[in-house]
Amino acid sequence: MGADQPQRRSSFRIGALNHLHVRVLTDVTGIHKEFVYSVPSGWESHPCFGVGAMVRVVLHGRRVRAWITEVGVEPLEGLASAPLAKLSSRGPTLELLELSEWAAWRWAGHRAHFLRTASPPRMVNALPRFQRSRLVFSGDFADLFAHQVCTFCSAPAQDLFPIAVAAAHRGQALILVPDRLRADQLAKGLSRVGVWAQRYPQGWAAAAAGATVVGTLAAAWAPAPELAAVLVIDEHDEAFRSESAPTWSGREVARERARRAGVPCVLVSPAPSLEALRSGSVIRLKRDAELKAWPDVSVVDRRVEDPSTAGLYSPTLVKVLRSNQRVACVLNRLGRSLLLACQLCGELAVCEECGASMRQGDRARLDCRTGNHSRPLVCAECGSTAMKNLRVGVKRAREELEALIKEPVAEITAKACEGQSTARVVVGTEAVLHLGRPFDVVAFLEFDQELLMPRYRAREQAMALLVRGARVAGPHDQGGRLLIQTRMPDDPVVRASASKDPWLLARSERDRRQELGFPPYGALAVVSGVAADEYMEGFGSPSEVRIAHDPSGSYYLRAVNHEILCDALASVQRPAGRLRIDVDPVRAL
């Protein structure tokens, strides 16, 4: 199933039947079957008509959207086919229709989900005229595109625009970046140097006419009839992973498109994923250039401090905070006080109803972590109101920092960014690293929290966080600095960042994942939801798939490769009810 799909018939004989018939796939969740409809007279001459066209059909008494998947099919014998209700717009190309079949198999989803992403955001009846590129190319980075698949290990703050220019020089290029701001900047930059470049999905029609496409996750499904090169910038970024089911990967879709089209695919990252490193040729920067492009990295070993007095702020960090440098502090914990203990008797603040830990919110009360119970800020054991904060959240950290440096500190989370433009010091979740403003120092207040996440990709994700911090701080020769507070200085992630050599982590992770059989050295899927039990009953116990069931109700399926696992998933009929199948999850185990 992973191989190329057979070509569908895109030509037909007019007049062979009284009416021309087509096969369509409806955009109705839960209906995977294709249906045959007749084509009203005269539609076959319309410029939008053909394989991939978007139409409206009547299904069970209501008009729904659909895509034509085949033209010139035989009608069902003895049954009159209903006519198409409306010819709406141009739609996905034949290549994307076939790719949707592969993607539905690869991520255990519905083809309609992918075809929605591949469809124009508004109706398109005509394409713009092709604009020839006026690009003057210097030849930089052309060697990257001499390979079928190439992974380029860049530096965090390296200017990647010349690589995008090299891709566009080959012809129509598909360029993926992880965030909208960078996509906008890259598309405008390419336009300024003479490339016909368009943002996706707004530029769907231009892409269908041959323009170079720049976009985020969805751009992996942009039309590209003259595709000449594929470029994925920061391929390690989780933004290239769809969070809604099916949880597909934009990097893998782009790489598969390049393979089918026979064009080069370049994956760029300062900390390449193992999937990228084992997919083809690997090219690194020269070591001296790599060292210069990283900021200065300071590792603060919290183990040498007195445990009774050591708080969240080491002497090294305090010195930096009290300087005149711009400092961004990263702490991935929302709230004020997430774990409390009595200062008199040492008893933890635990809910008497359910046993969960209690935390202090904005009010002077203790709230159960489950959100179901609350009580006054009093120790249940001795009645003391003096509580010690064992796990500080962002809100409390801001209050403590303001008391420490005697000046306003901005609090940054995904929901709040007040005062960030003027504050010298900011503290918050990793949203701090997406502000779009520079800092002299990026400090990770408790990096062990990232290293100890119960996920098989935790170290990879922790390294990605450091890379983003390094990009915000800037290179060493511009005064950039990373400060990492940890009690695990020998962890491969910390050693790799201190050495400014992500390969140290890659080698360590490769050996660990190979031994455990985790992706990319095996295939993994998590099945969850109210219909998970019913689905797994139909799944049975294939000998080549290992199954584990955890108390939360999720099922973990593992196999030696995706062919075995995805074939097994595709063989099961999906029951009614909510069901989530996450193939190669990024936040599991």
Side-chain angles (χ1 to χ4, degrees):
M1 183 66 185
D4 292 336
Q5 301 296 329
Q7 295 289 318
R8 292 183 178 274
R9 287 179 292 169
S10 56
S11 60
F12 50 87
R13 293 180 297 108
I14 301 176
L17 302 168
N18 291 333
H19 290 283
L20 183 67
H21 288 74
V22 296
R23 198 183 308 277
V24 304
L25 176 70
T26 61
D27 188 7
V28 179
T29 302
I31 298 181
H32 298 259
K33 180 182 177 182
E34 296 184 0
F35 300 92
V36 174
Y37 284 81
S38 65
V39 179
S41 178
W43 280 27
E44 63 271 13
S45 60
H46 194 284
C48 291
F49 182 77
V51 172
M54 299 172 64
V55 296
R56 288 278 174 176
V57 300
V58 176
L59 184 68
H60 301 308
R62 63 189 182 103
R63 283 164 54 118
V64 299
R65 182 169 67 173
W67 297 273
I68 296 177
T69 60
E70 189 172 354
V71 175
V73 301
E74 297 289 337
L76 297 176
E77 187 175 353
L79 293 177
S81 300
L84 298 175
K86 181 181 179 182
L87 179 58
S88 302
S89 168
R90 294 176 183 267
T93 61
L94 175 62
E95 172 225 350
L96 294 176
L97 285 172
E98 294 172 350
L99 189 68
S100 72
E101 295 184 22
W102 171 83
W105 167 83
R106 177 64 174 78
W107 289 287
H110 191 345
R111 289 179 63 199
H113 176 93
F114 303 105
L115 293 180
R116 287 182 213 126
T117 309
S119 299
R122 59 186 64 86
M123 300 300 101
V124 174
N125 292 317
L127 301 181
R129 186 176 180 181
F130 177 77
Q131 300 178 23
R132 189 169 299 279
S133 172
R134 303 182 307 278
L135 173 66
V136 177
F137 180 51
S138 66
D140 294 343
F141 296 103
D143 57 325
L144 296 181
F145 295 88
H147 310 270
Q148 184 64 46
V149 180
C150 175
T151 298
F152 175 62
C153 305
S154 63
Q158 183 175 353
D159 180 13
L160 302 179
F161 182 72
I163 304 180
V165 171
H169 173 70
R170 299 183 63 90
Q172 185 178 27
L174 179 60
I175 304 175
L176 271 60
V177 291
D179 59 85
R180 294 179 182 177
L181 177 61
R182 292 172 69 189
D184 289 338
Q185 293 172 341
L186 184 55
K188 291 176 182 176
L190 288 172
S191 297
R192 282 195 294 268
V193 298
V195 176
W196 187 27
Q198 294 288 322
R199 277 280 277 113
Y200 190 83
Q202 303 95 312
W204 188 97
T212 283
V213 180
V214 182
T216 55
L217 174 68
W221 290 92
E226 303 295 331
L227 185 63
V230 171
L231 173 63
V232 183
I233 294 176
D234 281 354
E235 61 79 23
H236 69 275
D237 201 300
E238 288 184 16
F240 287 130
R241 180 79 175 188
S242 171
E243 294 183 2
S244 60
T247 54
W248 56 279
S249 164
R251 177 195 61 212
E252 296 305 309
V253 170
R255 194 166 65 173
E256 177 68 11
R257 290 191 69 175
R259 186 191 71 81
R260 291 179 176 225
V263 302
C265 175
V266 176
L267 309 174
V268 180
S269 172
S273 64
L274 292 179
E275 285 82 356
L277 289 175
R278 70 190 302 259
S279 61
S281 303
V282 178
I283 298 178
R284 295 186 64 178
L285 282 174
K286 292 183 178 180
R287 185 60 178 150
D288 58 343
E290 191 173 42
L291 290 172
K292 290 179 181 178
W294 275 79
D296 179 52
V297 180
S298 302
V299 178
V300 180
D301 187 353
R302 306 304 305 275
R303 298 175 303 177
V304 302
E305 301 174 19
D306 184 351
S308 62
T309 59
L312 198 59
Y313 319 103
S314 66
T316 303
L317 176 61
V318 172
K319 184 177 179 180
V320 171
L321 290 169
R322 287 176 173 169
S323 69
N324 60 355
Q325 293 178 296
R326 299 165 298 178
V327 185
C329 300
V330 182
L331 180 66
N332 270 331
R333 289 202 297 259
L334 295 171
R336 175 175 277 108
S337 301
L338 306 184
L339 184 63
L340 295 164
C342 177
Q343 287 190 2
L344 294 183
C345 68
E347 185 74 13
L348 288 176
V350 176
C351 179
E352 296 175 308
E353 300 292 332
C354 65
S357 62
M358 305 195 79
R359 57 187 64 180
Q360 181 185 359
D362 293 335
R363 51 191 184 150
R365 294 183 64 83
L366 293 174
D367 297 318
C368 178
R369 187 179 61 188
T370 63
N372 297 324
H373 309 104
S374 176
R375 74 164 190 254
L377 192 63
V378 175
C379 176
E381 184 69 21
C382 68
S384 171
T385 58
M387 308 295 286
K388 182 179 180 180
N389 198 343
L390 301 182
R391 186 168 295 169
V392 174
V394 167
K395 190 174 291 294
R396 179 62 178 173
R398 178 186 63 79
E399 297 168 355
E400 294 177 351
L401 286 170
E402 286 184 337
L404 186 66
I405 65 176
K406 303 297 189 293
E407 65 178 90
V409 174
E411 177 186 339
I412 310 296
T413 65
K415 295 182 179 180
C417 295
E418 296 182 1
Q420 65 87 11
S421 60
T422 57
R424 180 181 66 85
V425 177
V426 301
V427 62
T429 62
E430 60 186 272
V432 165
L433 306 178
H434 296 264
L435 290 177
R437 56 169 285 199
F439 289 91
D440 303 307
V441 182
V442 174
F444 293 87
L445 302 187
E446 194 171 317
F447 195 64
D448 298 343
Q449 174 180 313
E450 312 300 331
L451 299 175
L452 297 174
M453 283 288 182
R455 305 168 185 155
Y456 76 94
R457 293 184 184 267
R459 286 194 174 102
E460 210 171 65
Q461 293 161 351
M463 191 69 202
L465 202 59
L466 289 178
V467 163
R468 185 170 287 277
R471 188 168 286 157
V472 171
H476 170 73
D477 59 4
Q478 296 179 16
R481 183 181 181 187
L482 280 185
L483 195 152
I484 306 170
Q485 296 191 150
T486 178
R487 290 179 174 82
M488 303 171 65
D490 296 324
D491 187 272
V493 176
V494 181
R495 287 193 292 108
S497 59
S499 303
K500 305 176 185 179
D501 186 3
W503 285 81
L504 293 176
L505 173 64
R507 286 191 288 268
S508 171
E509 279 294 279
R510 177 196 61 196
D511 296 341
R512 185 180 69 88
R513 298 245 203 114
Q514 280 182 330
E515 184 175 352
L516 296 174
F518 281 131
Y521 305 101
L524 170 69
V526 179
V527 180
S528 59
V530 295
D533 291 338
E534 184 179 351
Y535 178 87
M536 291 307 299
E537 285 182 13
F539 189 85
S541 303
S543 59
E544 296 177 301
V545 180
R546 289 173 290 168
I547 303 173
H549 188 205
D550 71 10
S552 70
S554 297
Y555 292 86
Y556 294 85
L557 284 56
R558 296 176 63 181
V560 296
N561 57 49
H562 289 103
E563 284 70 23
I564 292 174
L565 180 62
C566 295
D567 281 346
L569 292 170
S571 67
V572 184
Q573 184 174 357
R574 297 175 73 106
R578 187 174 61 84
L579 179 71
R580 180 183 176 90
I581 302 176
D582 194 350
V583 180
D584 290 350
V586 296
R587 297 184 177 270
L589 299 178

